[in-house]
Amino acid sequence: MRIGVFSDVHGNLEALNEVLDALKEESVDRFICIGDVVGYGPDPNACVEKVREISDAVVAGNHDFAAAGRISTADFNENAAQAILWTQANLNPDSAHFLHELPMVFEYGDITAVHATPESPAEWHYILSENDAKRSLAASPTLICLVGHTHVPCIFVKDPEGGISLKEDHQVHFRSGEKYLINAGSVGQPRNGDTRAAYGVLDTEEGEFHFGFREYPVEKVQQKMARAGLPLWLIERLALGQ
Ligand code: ZN
């Protein structure tokens, strides 16, 4: 099975379309979305519709639950909270209901998918260090744990002795005795210094995972955001990949 893995679309339809094209070219048979379909970007309904239609599993992100009114924006920064207000005002009832009902965790075979962390999904902690990854890998019930939330694509490996390392490159071949924590990065608002939309391909037969990156028309999205009156910093950061 080849699984297309993507996360943090954030209402960016142009980036989502590129990633879905790339995943079709990669001949994936399944799609898993790791949350934050909406928030920040100008096309929440179109993104929900596409993700819903194509995905075999979607887990909830904090922006999804906030936009659907299931959690408050008390922990959000000002720009993010403002974008949630805009999203709430523009989300149709069908999209809002879909987001409201999303599960927080999805488990299938050797794979767990959760937006933030497997140890406390509802606390929306960020996995930023090897120490954070160690806690999450200990809590992951499966060999592979897929996360999102930080918008930075990366792979943490737990070796058979329990040591944790961050992989330098953007691919990994699975070896017995190891466990993997893979952050899928972000489709619609990358923060790894690369403006391209990120996605991953997990091949369960070959036992490997690799990242892919696709350019999309950033300026077109920025223009839509400006017309929608979304916060300036959210518009600017797309061109920085930060
Ligand atoms: Zn996000």
Side-chain angles (χ1 to χ4, degrees):
M1 192 160 50
R2 278 170 75 77
I3 305 168
V5 181
F6 63 100
S7 188
D8 295 270
V9 174
H10 284 295
N12 185 333
L13 183 63
E14 280 69 20
L16 177 62
N17 282 335
E18 283 297 330
V19 159
L20 295 181
D21 283 350
L23 288 171
K24 280 171 201 157
E25 284 165 27
E26 293 250 20
S27 311
V28 304
D29 353 84
R30 295 276 190 274
F31 293 84
I32 298 180
C33 174
I34 324 285
D36 276 1
V37 182
V38 303
Y40 301 136
D43 285 305
N45 294 305
C47 288
V48 167
E49 222 166 276
K50 274 243 148 116
V51 166
R52 186 178 185 176
E53 177 191 305
I54 203 157
S55 301
D56 296 276
V58 184
V59 293
N62 49 328
H63 289 253
D64 300 324
F65 272 179
R70 204 167 138 172
I71 61 170
S72 88
T73 53
D75 291 335
F76 283 51
N77 68 48
E78 206 185 310
N79 285 324
Q82 219 179 308
I84 288 296
L85 282 178
W86 182 90
T87 304
Q88 287 172 338
N90 287 276
L91 210 55
N92 66 43
D94 209 34
S95 300
H97 178 74
F98 174 77
L99 297 175
H100 190 273
E101 297 306 308
L102 286 175
M104 298 205 71
V105 182
F106 168 75
E107 213 183 299
Y108 176 77
D110 286 336
I111 302 162
T112 299
V114 58
H115 186 66
T117 70
E119 70 271 24
S120 51
E123 285 172 37
W124 313 109
H125 293 311
Y126 293 91
I127 301 168
L128 299 169
S129 65
E130 288 171 359
N131 240 353
D132 299 335
K134 188 174 187 174
R135 211 170 20 243
S136 293
L137 278 158
S140 169
T142 55
L143 288 180
I144 300 159
C145 182
L146 304 170
V147 299
H149 200 38
T150 64
H151 300 204
V152 177
C154 66
I155 303 168
F156 288 99
V157 182
K158 182 183 181 186
D159 63 41
E161 285 74 47
I164 309 288
S165 56
L166 175 64
K167 271 198 78 75
E168 298 279 323
D169 54 355
H170 277 140
Q171 56 184 334
V172 65
H173 271 92
F174 304 138
R175 291 201 303 221
S176 76
E178 292 185 342
K179 272 178 99 173
Y180 305 92
L181 181 79
I182 300 173
N183 190 312
S186 173
V187 172
Q189 205 205 71
R191 292 179 193 161
N192 53 325
D194 184 338
T195 57
R196 295 175 300 169
Y199 63 89
V201 176
L202 172 59
D203 191 318
T204 56
E205 261 121 73
E206 297 292 322
E208 72 105 44
F209 177 96
H210 66 264
F211 284 108
F213 300 92
R214 269 289 182 108
E215 281 182 16
Y216 70 92
V218 172
E219 281 178 21
K220 186 177 170 188
V221 179
Q222 289 179 308
Q223 284 161 11
K224 282 190 188 178
M225 291 171 79
R227 276 200 298 274
L230 284 156
L232 190 60
W233 165 236
L234 297 180
I235 299 172
E236 286 175 346
R237 69 190 307 179
L238 286 184
L240 305 171
Q242 287 299 337

